[in-house]
mmCIF file of all heavy atoms in Angstrom:
data_model
loop_
_atom_site.group_PDB
_atom_site.id
_atom_site.type_symbol
_atom_site.label_atom_id
_atom_site.label_comp_id
_atom_site.label_asym_id
_atom_site.label_seq_id
_atom_site.Cartn_x
_atom_site.Cartn_y
_atom_site.Cartn_z
ATOM 1 N N THR N 70 10.947 8.843 14.072
ATOM 2 C CA THR N 70 10.282 9.730 15.028
ATOM 3 C C THR N 70 8.806 9.388 15.053
ATOM 4 O O THR N 70 8.168 9.331 14.009
ATOM 5 C CB THR N 70 10.444 11.211 14.634
ATOM 6 O OG1 THR N 70 11.823 11.540 14.613
ATOM 7 C CG2 THR N 70 9.724 12.102 15.629
ATOM 8 N N ALA N 81 -5.646 10.961 19.750
ATOM 9 C CA ALA N 81 -5.506 9.751 20.544
ATOM 10 C C ALA N 81 -6.829 9.259 21.114
ATOM 11 O O ALA N 81 -7.137 9.460 22.270
ATOM 12 C CB ALA N 81 -4.519 9.985 21.676
ATOM 13 N N HIS N 110 -18.880 12.020 6.161
ATOM 14 C CA HIS N 110 -18.929 12.420 4.752
ATOM 15 C C HIS N 110 -18.123 13.692 4.486
ATOM 16 O O HIS N 110 -18.504 14.521 3.660
ATOM 17 C CB HIS N 110 -20.388 12.603 4.303
ATOM 18 C CG HIS N 110 -21.253 11.403 4.583
ATOM 19 N ND1 HIS N 110 -21.180 10.244 3.849
ATOM 20 C CD2 HIS N 110 -22.189 11.192 5.549
ATOM 21 C CE1 HIS N 110 -22.039 9.357 4.332
ATOM 22 N NE2 HIS N 110 -22.659 9.903 5.360
ATOM 23 N N ASN N 125 3.520 22.627 6.642
ATOM 24 C CA ASN N 125 4.271 23.648 7.365
ATOM 25 C C ASN N 125 5.677 23.177 7.716
ATOM 26 O O ASN N 125 6.557 23.988 7.983
ATOM 27 C CB ASN N 125 3.536 24.042 8.650
ATOM 28 C CG ASN N 125 2.265 24.812 8.381
ATOM 29 O OD1 ASN N 125 2.154 25.498 7.372
ATOM 30 N ND2 ASN N 125 1.299 24.694 9.271
ATOM 31 N N PHE N 134 11.526 24.444 -4.059
ATOM 32 C CA PHE N 134 10.288 23.680 -3.956
ATOM 33 C C PHE N 134 10.490 22.215 -4.333
ATOM 34 O O PHE N 134 9.745 21.344 -3.885
ATOM 35 C CB PHE N 134 9.201 24.314 -4.827
ATOM 36 C CG PHE N 134 8.698 25.624 -4.285
ATOM 37 C CD1 PHE N 134 9.032 26.819 -4.904
ATOM 38 C CD2 PHE N 134 7.909 25.675 -3.157
ATOM 39 C CE1 PHE N 134 8.577 28.029 -4.404
ATOM 40 C CE2 PHE N 134 7.452 26.878 -2.636
ATOM 41 C CZ PHE N 134 7.792 28.064 -3.261
ATOM 42 N N PHE N 144 -5.766 7.632 6.932
ATOM 43 C CA PHE N 144 -6.963 7.493 7.763
ATOM 44 C C PHE N 144 -7.312 6.015 7.903
ATOM 45 O O PHE N 144 -7.478 5.314 6.901
ATOM 46 C CB PHE N 144 -8.144 8.224 7.120
ATOM 47 C CG PHE N 144 -8.342 9.621 7.633
ATOM 48 C CD1 PHE N 144 -7.467 10.628 7.267
ATOM 49 C CD2 PHE N 144 -9.394 9.927 8.485
ATOM 50 C CE1 PHE N 144 -7.641 11.915 7.734
ATOM 51 C CE2 PHE N 144 -9.573 11.220 8.962
ATOM 52 C CZ PHE N 144 -8.699 12.218 8.586
ATOM 53 N N CYS N 146 -10.214 3.707 8.966
ATOM 54 C CA CYS N 146 -11.666 3.810 9.147
ATOM 55 C C CYS N 146 -12.267 2.438 9.421
ATOM 56 O O CYS N 146 -11.907 1.457 8.765
ATOM 57 C CB CYS N 146 -12.321 4.399 7.892
ATOM 58 S SG CYS N 146 -11.724 6.055 7.473
ATOM 59 N N GLY N 166 -9.803 16.475 -17.332
ATOM 60 C CA GLY N 166 -9.919 16.130 -18.746
ATOM 61 C C GLY N 166 -8.883 15.131 -19.204
ATOM 62 O O GLY N 166 -8.994 14.579 -20.306
ATOM 63 N N GLU N 169 -5.335 10.275 -17.144
ATOM 64 C CA GLU N 169 -4.108 9.486 -17.177
ATOM 65 C C GLU N 169 -2.900 10.285 -16.682
ATOM 66 O O GLU N 169 -1.834 9.719 -16.411
ATOM 67 C CB GLU N 169 -3.840 8.988 -18.610
ATOM 68 C CG GLU N 169 -3.413 10.040 -19.618
ATOM 69 C CD GLU N 169 -4.563 10.863 -20.180
ATOM 70 O OE1 GLU N 169 -5.710 10.663 -19.719
ATOM 71 O OE2 GLU N 169 -4.322 11.674 -21.086
ATOM 72 N N ASN N 194 0.228 -5.488 5.937
ATOM 73 C CA ASN N 194 -1.077 -4.842 5.999
ATOM 74 C C ASN N 194 -2.100 -5.720 6.702
ATOM 75 O O ASN N 194 -2.987 -5.225 7.389
ATOM 76 C CB ASN N 194 -1.559 -4.475 4.604
ATOM 77 C CG ASN N 194 -0.701 -3.396 3.976
ATOM 78 O OD1 ASN N 194 -0.069 -2.615 4.674
ATOM 79 N ND2 ASN N 194 -0.655 -3.364 2.659
ATOM 80 N N ALA N 217 3.245 1.441 21.867
ATOM 81 C CA ALA N 217 2.924 2.868 21.796
ATOM 82 C C ALA N 217 1.569 3.146 22.422
ATOM 83 O O ALA N 217 1.382 4.129 23.147
ATOM 84 C CB ALA N 217 2.944 3.337 20.346
ATOM 85 N N VAL N 218 0.604 2.279 22.160
ATOM 86 C CA VAL N 218 -0.731 2.429 22.727
ATOM 87 C C VAL N 218 -0.673 2.381 24.245
ATOM 88 O O VAL N 218 -1.265 3.210 24.945
ATOM 89 C CB VAL N 218 -1.673 1.323 22.201
ATOM 90 C CG1 VAL N 218 -2.969 1.297 22.994
ATOM 91 C CG2 VAL N 218 -1.968 1.532 20.725
ATOM 92 N N VAL N 225 -1.854 8.896 30.358
ATOM 93 C CA VAL N 225 -3.147 9.485 30.686
ATOM 94 C C VAL N 225 -3.593 9.063 32.084
ATOM 95 O O VAL N 225 -4.149 9.840 32.840
ATOM 96 C CB VAL N 225 -4.201 9.072 29.638
ATOM 97 C CG1 VAL N 225 -5.583 9.547 30.070
ATOM 98 C CG2 VAL N 225 -3.846 9.652 28.286
ATOM 99 N N GLU N 236 -11.816 12.374 26.183
ATOM 100 C CA GLU N 236 -12.102 13.506 27.058
ATOM 101 C C GLU N 236 -10.819 14.251 27.415
ATOM 102 O O GLU N 236 -10.767 15.477 27.406
ATOM 103 C CB GLU N 236 -12.786 13.010 28.339
ATOM 104 C CG GLU N 236 -14.190 12.459 28.091
ATOM 105 C CD GLU N 236 -14.727 11.743 29.311
ATOM 106 O OE1 GLU N 236 -13.903 11.378 30.190
ATOM 107 O OE2 GLU N 236 -15.944 11.535 29.396
ATOM 108 N N SER N 242 -6.517 19.876 24.195
ATOM 109 C CA SER N 242 -6.545 20.601 22.929
ATOM 110 C C SER N 242 -7.241 21.940 23.089
ATOM 111 O O SER N 242 -6.810 22.953 22.528
ATOM 112 C CB SER N 242 -7.260 19.763 21.863
ATOM 113 O OG SER N 242 -7.287 20.432 20.632
ATOM 114 N N GLU N 247 -6.909 27.858 23.268
ATOM 115 C CA GLU N 247 -7.199 29.098 23.973
ATOM 116 C C GLU N 247 -5.927 29.894 24.233
ATOM 117 O O GLU N 247 -5.890 31.116 24.054
ATOM 118 C CB GLU N 247 -7.907 28.787 25.294
ATOM 119 C CG GLU N 247 -8.244 30.006 26.133
ATOM 120 C CD GLU N 247 -9.209 30.963 25.451
ATOM 121 O OE1 GLU N 247 -9.918 30.544 24.530
ATOM 122 O OE2 GLU N 247 -9.239 32.142 25.858
ATOM 123 N N GLU N 248 -4.864 29.203 24.643
ATOM 124 C CA GLU N 248 -3.597 29.876 24.900
ATOM 125 C C GLU N 248 -3.029 30.478 23.621
ATOM 126 O O GLU N 248 -2.514 31.604 23.625
ATOM 127 C CB GLU N 248 -2.599 28.886 25.507
ATOM 128 C CG GLU N 248 -2.954 28.455 26.922
ATOM 129 C CD GLU N 248 -2.041 27.384 27.452
ATOM 130 O OE1 GLU N 248 -1.142 26.945 26.695
ATOM 131 O OE2 GLU N 248 -2.225 26.973 28.606
ATOM 132 N N ALA N 255 -2.718 39.165 21.915
ATOM 133 C CA ALA N 255 -1.818 40.046 22.662
ATOM 134 C C ALA N 255 -0.734 40.617 21.758
ATOM 135 O O ALA N 255 -0.445 41.827 21.796
ATOM 136 C CB ALA N 255 -1.187 39.290 23.826
ATOM 137 N N ILE N 258 -2.263 43.264 19.441
ATOM 138 C CA ILE N 258 -2.546 44.533 20.141
ATOM 139 C C ILE N 258 -1.261 45.322 20.356
ATOM 140 O O ILE N 258 -1.203 46.537 20.103
ATOM 141 C CB ILE N 258 -3.255 44.260 21.478
ATOM 142 C CG1 ILE N 258 -4.663 43.701 21.220
ATOM 143 C CG2 ILE N 258 -3.339 45.541 22.320
ATOM 144 C CD1 ILE N 258 -5.348 43.162 22.454
ATOM 145 N N LYS N 259 -0.207 44.637 20.803
ATOM 146 C CA LYS N 259 1.068 45.317 21.024
ATOM 147 C C LYS N 259 1.602 45.914 19.724
ATOM 148 O O LYS N 259 2.148 47.027 19.709
ATOM 149 C CB LYS N 259 2.084 44.342 21.617
ATOM 150 C CG LYS N 259 1.755 43.903 23.037
ATOM 151 C CD LYS N 259 2.734 42.850 23.531
ATOM 152 C CE LYS N 259 2.369 42.365 24.929
ATOM 153 N NZ LYS N 259 3.293 41.300 25.402
ATOM 154 N N ILE N 272 -9.714 48.278 18.966
ATOM 155 C CA ILE N 272 -10.916 47.501 19.261
ATOM 156 C C ILE N 272 -11.618 47.105 17.964
ATOM 157 O O ILE N 272 -12.035 45.950 17.786
ATOM 158 C CB ILE N 272 -11.891 48.305 20.152
ATOM 159 C CG1 ILE N 272 -11.257 48.598 21.516
ATOM 160 C CG2 ILE N 272 -13.206 47.557 20.320
ATOM 161 C CD1 ILE N 272 -10.913 47.376 22.311
ATOM 162 N N ALA N 288 -12.021 43.607 26.478
ATOM 163 C CA ALA N 288 -11.375 42.850 27.549
ATOM 164 C C ALA N 288 -9.958 42.447 27.152
ATOM 165 O O ALA N 288 -9.026 42.510 27.966
ATOM 166 C CB ALA N 288 -12.207 41.612 27.891
#
Side-chain angles (χ1 to χ4, degrees):
T70 299
H110 307 286
N125 290 332
F134 289 108
F144 265 73
C146 300
E169 71 280 4
N194 293 335
V218 168
V225 173
E236 292 169 342
S242 181
E247 179 62 21
E248 291 174 358
I258 292 169
K259 292 175 183 178
I272 296 299

